[in-house]
């Protein structure tokens, strides 16, 4: 139940930024909803998953605290990191320099976001009325954020299926990407939709190939929210430093191959679009009789719904 005199979005923001709410479960409990519905409501209201927004705002606060002379160790643990090393990696990726090199001035250090929500010292938020990021919504940014939101919507809709509908073979032998194996059911296509980003991010970050995981829907929801944060962080970093022409040497391939990073992003978005429309068609087949309305997955409609056009 919302508190008197306060709107729901403010309630959700409070739950995300409460010092004691360090997990998605704690945030959701504070807002009296399930983690799934909390993430859905918050993301619709802000355009950013709750964990990602909390992480970004705390990094902005950390930059301000460092500029006032606080130690890296104190700031790291105050920002919720388990180690100074983990904090330093995240801070360096976000701001382009290690925390120890943060200038001691009063200049705002805001990270890119389309919702205009930022940290404001000493312990509050600043919401810009016209974020620069919204003034020129380039197609790449639009497609990346639409892909994340549309996948989240499809996962939510798939929750209405029973297990047999979810796993039914609908197109025997269907290959979306020849090297990834058949994608014959809603379960498999959704799993590969998420797995694609996980595998490519592992290559970009120099990590091992992720261990194959199950395709149970609750697990896919968790994996999607986790990979969405990493994916958006990676895109933000590439945009900030103009890294679209960088070359990725993927040692996970046999033999190793090189890829232009911009083409990797285009590849992920292209196949994600194909998979999302495939799942959307199959969901319509199952749920239209029950009266469930499933949108077209149109970026134009997505922008209208978010009030950005």
């Amino acid at each position: 139940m919302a508190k008197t005199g306060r709107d729901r979005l403010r309630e959700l923001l409070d739950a995300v930024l409460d010092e004691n709410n360090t997990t998605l479960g704690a945030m959701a409990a504070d807002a009296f909803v399930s983690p799934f519905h909390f993430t859905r409501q918050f993301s619709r209201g802000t355009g950013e998953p709750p964990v990602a927004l909390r992480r970004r705002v705390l990094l902005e606060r950390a930059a301000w605290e460092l500029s006032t002379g606080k130690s890296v160790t104190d700031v790291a643990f105050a920002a919720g990191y388990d180690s100074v090393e983990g904090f330093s990696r995240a801070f360096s990726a976000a701001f382009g320099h290690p925390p120890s090199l943060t200038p001691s001035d009063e200049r705002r250090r805001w990270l890119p976001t389309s919702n205009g929500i930022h940290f404001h010292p000493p312990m509050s938020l600043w919401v810009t009325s016209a974020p620069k990021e919204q003034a020129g919504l380039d197609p790449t940014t639009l497609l990346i954020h639409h892909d994340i939101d549309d996948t989240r919507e499809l996962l939510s809709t798939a929750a209405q299926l029973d297990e047999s509908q979810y796993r039914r073979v609908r197109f025997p032998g269907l290959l979306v990407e020849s090297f990834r194996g058949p994608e014959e059911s809603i379960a498999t296509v959704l799993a590969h939709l998420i797995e694609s980003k996980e595998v490519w991010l592992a290559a970009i970050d120099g990590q091992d190939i992720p261990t194959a995981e199950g395709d149970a829907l609750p697990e896919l929801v968790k994996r999607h929210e986790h990979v969405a944060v990493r994916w958006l962080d990676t895109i933000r970093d590439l945009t900030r430093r103009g890294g679209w022409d960088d070359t990725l040497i993927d040692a996970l391939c046999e033999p190793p191959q090189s890829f232009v990073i911009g083409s990797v992003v285009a590849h992920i978005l292209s196949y994600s679009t194909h998979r999302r429309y495939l799942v959307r068609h199959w969901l319509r087949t199952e749920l239209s009789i029950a009266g469930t309305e499933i949108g077209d997955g149109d970026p134009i409609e997505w922008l209208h719904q978010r009030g950005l056009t």
Side-chain angles (χ1 to χ4, degrees):
M1 182 180 296
K3 298 177 182 177
T4 304
R6 302 178 68 181
D7 61 40
R8 184 56 174 163
L9 181 56
R10 180 71 252 182
E11 291 284 330
L12 297 176
L13 281 168
D14 286 348
V16 166
L17 299 174
D18 188 297
E19 290 287 341
N20 297 318
N21 293 343
T22 58
T23 66
L24 178 60
M27 298 174 197
D30 203 22
F32 305 105
V33 293
S34 69
F36 179 83
H37 285 95
F38 180 85
T39 298
R40 185 176 182 183
Q41 291 175 11
F42 189 89
S43 299
R44 282 184 171 178
T46 67
E48 193 173 13
V51 174
L53 185 141
R54 178 182 173 84
R55 178 185 180 189
R56 177 178 58 77
V57 170
L58 289 181
L59 283 174
E60 292 177 345
R61 186 183 73 176
W64 173 74
E65 290 176 331
L66 290 167
S67 73
T68 66
K70 288 190 175 183
S71 72
V72 173
T73 299
D74 289 343
V75 171
F77 289 115
Y81 288 82
D82 295 328
S83 68
V84 173
E85 291 76 13
F87 168 72
S88 295
R89 286 194 298 270
F91 189 96
S92 299
F95 291 99
H97 61 78
S100 58
L101 297 181
T102 301
S104 57
D105 59 45
E106 297 182 357
R107 181 171 57 86
R108 285 173 176 157
R109 291 180 182 82
W110 286 349
L111 295 169
T113 181
S114 61
N115 55 35
I117 300 172
H118 296 281
F119 169 75
H120 184 65
M123 292 298 289
S124 58
L125 291 178
W126 184 285
V127 182
T128 59
S129 58
K132 289 183 179 179
E133 292 82 358
Q134 289 187 7
L137 190 60
D138 65 275
T140 301
T141 299
L142 186 154
L143 289 172
I144 287 167
H145 284 271
H146 172 253
D147 171 52
I148 293 295
D149 279 2
D150 196 45
T151 300
R152 183 179 294 116
E153 188 69 24
L154 291 172
L155 289 166
S156 175
T157 304
Q160 300 180 48
L161 302 175
D162 61 36
E163 192 70 6
S164 64
Q165 292 172 316
Y166 181 59
R167 299 190 178 281
R168 180 177 303 154
V169 172
R170 298 169 186 278
F171 200 140
L174 174 65
L175 294 176
V176 177
E177 294 175 276
S178 58
F179 61 87
R180 206 172 290 279
E183 303 186 31
E184 304 170 325
S185 67
I186 291 174
T188 306
V189 175
L190 286 174
H192 285 191
L193 177 59
I194 295 163
E195 179 185 291
S196 178
K197 291 186 181 71
E198 293 173 333
V199 170
W200 278 108
L201 283 172
I204 292 170
D205 294 339
Q207 300 174 348
D208 293 334
I209 296 177
T211 303
E213 300 186 52
D215 56 11
L217 193 57
E219 181 61 28
L220 291 185
V221 171
K222 293 178 183 177
R223 286 170 57 191
H224 173 65
E225 294 306 331
H226 177 71
V227 80
V229 173
R230 295 176 58 211
W231 177 234
L232 293 175
D233 279 352
T234 298
I235 296 299
R236 189 159 40 243
D237 177 64
L238 289 168
T239 302
R240 177 183 56 77
R241 60 185 179 78
W244 298 110
D245 293 329
D246 289 0
T247 299
L248 165 68
I249 308 299
D250 187 0
L252 300 180
C253 294
E254 188 61 45
Q257 298 183 37
S258 62
F259 304 92
V260 175
I261 200 69
S263 72
V264 171
V265 174
H267 167 93
I268 292 172
L269 289 175
S270 295
Y271 283 99
S272 178
T273 300
H274 178 76
R275 289 185 171 104
R276 286 187 283 109
Y277 281 105
L278 186 59
V279 169
R280 178 170 273 102
H281 170 71
W282 287 343
L283 286 174
R284 280 201 178 113
T285 301
E286 289 290 350
L287 298 175
S288 60
I289 297 177
T292 299
E293 184 175 344
I294 300 174
D296 294 332
D298 187 343
I300 294 176
E301 294 179 0
W302 174 75
L303 283 178
H304 281 313
Q305 291 168 359
R306 296 164 66 94
L308 298 179
T309 58

